[in-house]
Amino acid sequence: MTHNTLAVTGLNLINADADTVVRQIHNGDVLVLDDMPGNFKFNLTAIYTGSPGSVFMAGGWFGESVKYNVRTENYAPFAWLGDWAGDYFGEQLRVGCYDLIAVPYSQQGGTGTVGGWARFRFKVVQSAGDPLPADPEVGRIAGFELVDSDTGEVVRQLQNADILYLDRDPLPTNFNVQAIIEDPVGRVRFDGEYDDSQSLHRIGRTERISPFTWLGDIPDGDYFGRPMSEGHYRFTATPYLLVEVSEERGESIDFQFMVMNTPRHQAVLPRVDKLILIDATTEEPVVELTNGMQLRPGSPGLPVDLKFNVQAEISSTVRSVHFEGTRIINGRSARLNRVKNDPLFTWFGDSSGDFRQQPLSAATYTVTATPYADENLQGTAGEPIRVTFTVVEV
């Protein structure tokens, strides 16, 4: 790396009370509070090569609680907690784990060419020989809330596969959806879509500051929104540890809900009654799938080498079914979505009435089946049925 290369190469630990450098920070360092100035307030500044126009700094403290701090500094000394013309702001250095990413840019405001970024994780203990604080683990998404984007108020907590009725539920004119977070979560990636009477709308975004919303917001919680209209809304949300760059991720959540008006004849709504595991070789049903079920190949009625399919048992008003499914093996997810118009209504499909098949591998499977009154997912949609089941090794 030449001297003129734009890059962050290190951090300085600053005594914000005295506006002096205490020491340089390296990734993996352990700081002992007993060796530091008593009860001083600290800051961190970027050590760099080249001429940054700005430095984006994002990270957090992970200890008895969690605290994130995100800022873009446009002037040297590029301090994580800010400064005023070299007079540093600061806060107490606490026992725990600090994790920080610093990204230099050639222009102010985090624009222009991106330079070499760096990540620093260091730990703080009270006394030499104290046990080291644990590395932070990514938190989780515990649920989702429907928000009135005009007022910023939470309308209700959503349940997966909810059906919301425009003509009888107290729903907002314009809505957003926000994740319920169990820290530590620095950012959330949303990938989703919804279809209304006009078209299919795809919405993907990465939210880096709480509240973590599907449709976005200004950091002070001023929500963006879209009109709440009839349609099928679905998205996947994935939590990450840090605000930027880091790849440590938590469990992705697949979520969906329907918005509709109450049908005039509720009795003729299309309906999926149950999902059935099918032996695709014999074309015979094996077992009704229920949420949370655990299957072990080789147990009674379940052959070790079973080739399977999943079939929807439907009411007479169903003309098409939308299958949405995932299979997770060793943390890796594969998806299979299918639209079926024929009477068999199977997840993997069929060929002239013969079931297509997949081996029943050790994995976690989630299948959602949404019935429609007309072919090709047209007409009135019924309530989705969703089942997650696990296949364990023999």
Side-chain angles (χ1 to χ4, degrees):
M1 179 182 296
T2 66
H3 181 71
N4 292 324
T5 300
L6 181 61
V8 171
T9 60
L11 295 175
N12 278 325
L13 177 67
I14 302 296
N15 182 336
D17 298 323
D19 294 331
T20 57
V21 175
V22 177
R23 55 167 288 176
Q24 188 170 342
I25 297 290
H26 303 92
N27 189 40
D29 275 353
V30 177
L31 307 185
V32 180
L33 289 177
D34 289 346
D35 297 337
M36 300 286 172
N39 296 320
F40 81 107
K41 290 183 171 57
F42 87 102
N43 203 329
L44 295 170
T45 59
I47 302 171
Y48 53 88
T49 58
S51 301
S54 58
V55 176
F56 173 79
M57 306 177 80
W61 167 73
F62 307 93
E64 293 180 350
S65 59
V66 175
K67 183 178 181 181
Y68 286 96
N69 189 74
V70 180
R71 67 187 307 111
T72 298
E73 285 282 280
N74 292 316
Y75 301 98
F78 304 115
W80 183 33
L81 303 179
D83 70 288
W84 182 259
D87 185 10
Y88 292 99
F89 307 136
E91 61 184 42
Q92 203 74 32
L93 189 65
R94 293 177 284 183
V95 171
C97 180
Y98 287 83
D99 207 332
L100 172 69
I101 287 172
V103 185
Y105 291 85
S106 62
Q107 299 180 26
Q108 290 192 342
T111 61
T113 302
V114 180
W117 60 272
R119 179 176 180 179
F120 304 90
R121 175 178 285 183
F122 63 94
K123 298 182 177 182
V124 179
V125 297
Q126 182 62 50
S127 303
D130 285 352
L132 292 181
D135 289 336
E137 296 183 357
V138 187
R140 73 184 189 98
I141 297 174
F144 298 94
E145 294 172 323
L146 181 69
V147 176
D148 185 327
S149 61
D150 296 325
T151 67
E153 295 180 353
V154 174
V155 177
R156 61 184 287 177
Q157 184 169 343
L158 293 168
Q159 304 298 321
N160 198 27
D162 259 352
I163 296 182
L164 310 180
Y165 292 97
L166 288 169
D167 55 347
R168 71 188 197 202
D169 290 333
L171 300 179
T173 302
N174 299 294
F175 83 99
N176 203 329
V177 174
Q178 70 181 14
I180 302 171
I181 295 299
E182 293 183 0
D183 276 331
V185 172
R187 73 183 190 272
V188 175
R189 174 67 192 180
F190 289 91
D191 290 289
E193 63 186 19
Y194 72 93
D195 48 68
D196 55 23
S197 58
Q198 303 298 319
S199 59
L200 179 68
H201 308 269
R202 290 188 170 89
I203 305 172
R205 69 183 307 107
T206 299
E207 284 281 279
R208 295 176 172 85
I209 299 176
S210 179
F212 301 103
T213 64
W214 182 23
L215 305 182
D217 64 285
I218 297 174
D220 63 0
D222 186 6
Y223 293 88
F224 303 141
R226 298 202 177 192
M228 174 142 274
S229 56
E230 286 190 274
H232 184 194
Y233 298 76
R234 48 204 178 269
F235 58 82
T236 299
T238 305
Y240 291 81
L241 179 64
L242 294 187
V243 174
E244 195 62 79
V245 181
S246 71
E247 291 303 316
E248 297 103 321
R249 68 177 66 184
E251 180 184 1
S252 296
I253 304 296
D254 294 319
F255 201 84
Q256 64 175 325
F257 59 94
M258 300 283 295
V259 178
M260 59 192 301
N261 284 301
T262 304
R264 292 183 179 180
H265 304 289
Q266 190 78 34
V268 298
L269 266 180
R271 186 179 71 252
V272 173
D273 293 321
K274 60 183 71 172
L275 295 176
I276 304 295
L277 184 74
I278 299 293
D279 185 328
T281 303
T282 65
E283 301 185 352
E284 293 293 326
V286 177
V287 66
E288 177 185 349
L289 294 170
T290 58
N291 202 40
M293 173 179 281
Q294 187 176 90
L295 303 176
R296 184 181 299 275
S299 60
L302 201 63
V304 172
D305 57 349
L306 178 68
K307 305 295 190 297
F308 83 109
N309 204 326
V310 175
Q311 184 174 29
E313 281 195 4
I314 51 90
S315 68
S316 60
T317 58
V318 175
R319 296 293 178 268
S320 61
V321 174
H322 188 200
F323 285 93
E324 298 169 280
T326 60
R327 180 186 66 190
I328 300 175
I329 301 178
N330 296 326
R332 302 185 65 179
S333 177
R335 299 189 181 195
L336 176 61
N337 299 337
R338 185 179 301 278
V339 176
K340 291 299 295 177
N341 295 317
D342 61 64
L344 290 179
F345 298 121
T346 56
W347 183 20
F348 303 142
D350 65 279
S351 178
S352 300
D354 292 328
F355 289 97
R356 294 195 176 103
Q357 56 187 244
Q358 295 279 345
L360 191 64
S361 306
T364 297
Y365 299 82
T366 297
V367 186
T368 302
T370 306
Y372 289 80
D374 297 322
E375 292 187 347
N376 299 314
L377 310 186
Q378 300 299 307
T380 302
E383 183 173 355
I385 183 172
R386 181 176 187 266
V387 170
T388 296
F389 63 97
T390 301
V391 179
V392 299
E393 292 182 349
V394 179

